[in-house]
Amino acid sequence: MSLLFPVTTRFAPTPSGALHVGHVLAAFTARRLADAHGGRCLLRIEDIDSRARDVRWVNQLMEDLDWLGIRFDGEVMVQSRRFGVYATALRELHDKELLYPCFCSRSMRRHEEESISRAPHTPPSKRPHRPDRCRSLPADEVEQRLAAGEAHSWRIDMQRVQDSIGCPTWEDLCAGVQRCIPSDCEDVILSRKDTPTSYHLAVVVDDAQQGVNLVTRGRDLMESTPIHRALQAILGLPTPVYAHHPLLRDSNGVRLAKRDQATSIASFREAGYSPAQILSSIRAAVSNGGIWKGN
Ligand code: GLU
């Protein structure tokens, strides 16, 4: 694979648990592609969710990456220090009349909780319903409920987005040219009282701010990319090339996650494994269709 531009990639972990071999594959892929093109690989801590702001995990993450020998270029970006920047982007979307308030209770939008402040690792297509029931509330009712101080979050109206930008394309290194059809996407929540931004908004703003022109991340986030592409088009931000790499899975085909303590880097370190052994097991898993058999 050869890219004809100076590449800037990034690794963007959410430090809500121990670093595991799946993360290492993502970090390693970003570093390798940057090195192969004489480029830079940046680190961004995605901690807009207060539950992901446990300094214990951040410290452990940095220590594990250092121990593995995966180095990053430039300054580390920390999302929890950037709420003001996200607020500006949100205001721009408000001004363009692309947001509407959603009064659905937390229990009604339970299935969306993960995707508001964290990357949604469950594809929207597997979720129970399209959460756009507040899109068509009468304007006077909306005004009244807002004036009464009723709790609400802000959703983006993807139909209006489509009316404004049409259906832009992007390039995925693994899957070729893709088309974003905004009206096929969920009207995702971009902010709410306890989290004044969302994963989708923050990731798009930060990739542009950091000059990331090659986003490498797991294939499970591919369904988020049309939303990111739409936000880039609306906000006039550059569009990176994407490379959604295959995921590591256990022998039942289930994606490895933070809950699997057995695959955490800390547990391998404790058991006396070397970084080279871990990297070579990850390579073996990749050539075995992503199935992680352990060390
Ligand atoms: N922070 C996300 C995660 O840990 C990754 C987001 C991305 O690469 O776009 O799953």
Side-chain angles (χ1 to χ4, degrees), residues 7-61:
V7 162
T8 300
T9 63
R10 46 63 162 187
F11 174 51
T14 297
S16 56
L19 193 78
H20 64 78
V21 289
H23 296 122
V24 178
L25 172 61
F28 193 60
T29 303
R31 182 73 262 179
R32 191 176 49 79
L33 278 172
D35 289 345
H37 297 89
R40 298 184 316 140
C41 178
L42 311 175
L43 178 63
R44 182 166 76 229
I45 304 294
E46 299 209 326
D47 60 349
I48 55 172
D49 185 325
S50 54
R51 287 164 299 176
R53 239 174 278 151
D54 186 334
V55 47
R56 237 178 350 137
W57 290 127
V58 178
N59 291 343
Q60 170 90 60
L61 173 92

Side-chain angles (χ1 to χ4, degrees), residues 10-15 23 44 46 118-119 121 199 203 207 215-218 221 228 255 258:
R10 46 63 162 187
F11 174 51
T14 297
H23 296 122
R44 182 166 76 229
E46 299 209 326
R118 298 182 190 202
H121 293 286
Y199 157 69
V203 85
D207 281 336
V215 171
T216 61
R217 58 186 178 195
L221 289 176
H228 299 176
R255 182 179 76 91
K258 286 165 192 147

Side-chain angles (χ1 to χ4, degrees), residues 66-282:
D66 194 48
W67 178 78
L68 286 162
I70 304 177
R71 308 263 178 264
F72 296 94
D73 304 298
E75 290 208 352
V76 179
M77 179 176 271
V78 180
Q79 288 191 327
S80 58
R81 299 184 193 145
R82 295 174 45 77
F83 285 115
V85 180
Y86 310 135
T88 305
L90 199 69
R91 212 168 306 123
E92 194 174 332
L93 298 171
H94 262 293
D95 293 348
K96 290 182 192 289
E97 300 188 350
L98 295 172
L99 302 183
Y100 65 88
C102 169
F103 300 99
C104 292
S105 66
R106 187 172 271 235
S107 64
M108 281 167 92
R109 51 179 170 75
R110 202 176 42 236
H111 67 284
E112 285 180 279
E113 281 304 297
E114 185 201 21
S115 60
I116 299 173
S117 49
R118 298 182 190 202
H121 293 286
T122 311
S125 48
K126 293 215 174 114
R127 295 194 211 129
H129 71 287
R130 290 179 61 101
D132 53 9
R133 60 167 70 82
C134 292
R135 190 201 274 177
S136 45
L137 291 176
D140 53 346
E141 179 185 335
V142 169
E143 228 168 89
Q144 263 174 23
R145 292 173 80 169
L146 287 178
E150 191 171 329
H152 60 278
S153 38
W154 290 96
R155 290 189 188 278
I156 186 157
D157 185 331
M158 283 299 198
Q159 183 56 58
R160 275 203 211 159
V161 168
Q162 183 159 322
D163 295 345
S164 163
I165 60 162
C167 298
T169 58
W170 81 88
E171 194 190 341
D172 186 284
L173 279 188
C174 311
V177 174
Q178 306 289 306
R179 181 169 291 276
C180 155
I181 303 172
S183 60
D184 280 355
C185 301
E186 273 185 15
D187 286 357
V188 288
I189 290 177
L190 292 190
S191 88
R192 61 177 185 187
K193 203 168 165 211
D194 55 345
T195 311
T197 185
S198 69
Y199 157 69
H200 296 299
L201 186 62
V203 85
V204 160
V205 167
D206 289 347
D207 281 336
Q209 168 83 50
Q210 289 188 295
V212 171
N213 54 16
L214 175 59
V215 171
T216 61
R217 58 186 178 195
R219 203 162 275 174
D220 55 337
L221 289 176
M222 191 143 176
E223 290 203 43
S224 292
T225 309
I227 299 171
H228 299 176
R229 180 67 190 95
L231 287 170
Q232 286 152 3
I234 285 287
L235 294 168
L237 302 173
T239 307
V241 170
Y242 288 84
H244 291 95
H245 58 76
L247 302 171
L248 292 186
R249 300 181 182 279
D250 65 18
S251 48
N252 297 317
V254 177
R255 182 179 76 91
L256 298 183
K258 286 165 192 147
R259 61 178 180 275
D260 311 310
Q261 273 311 313
T263 62
S264 80
I265 302 311
S267 61
F268 287 122
R269 285 175 71 176
E270 265 167 43
Y273 288 95
S274 68
Q277 282 172 308
I278 296 175
L279 293 180
S280 106
S281 296
I282 291 174

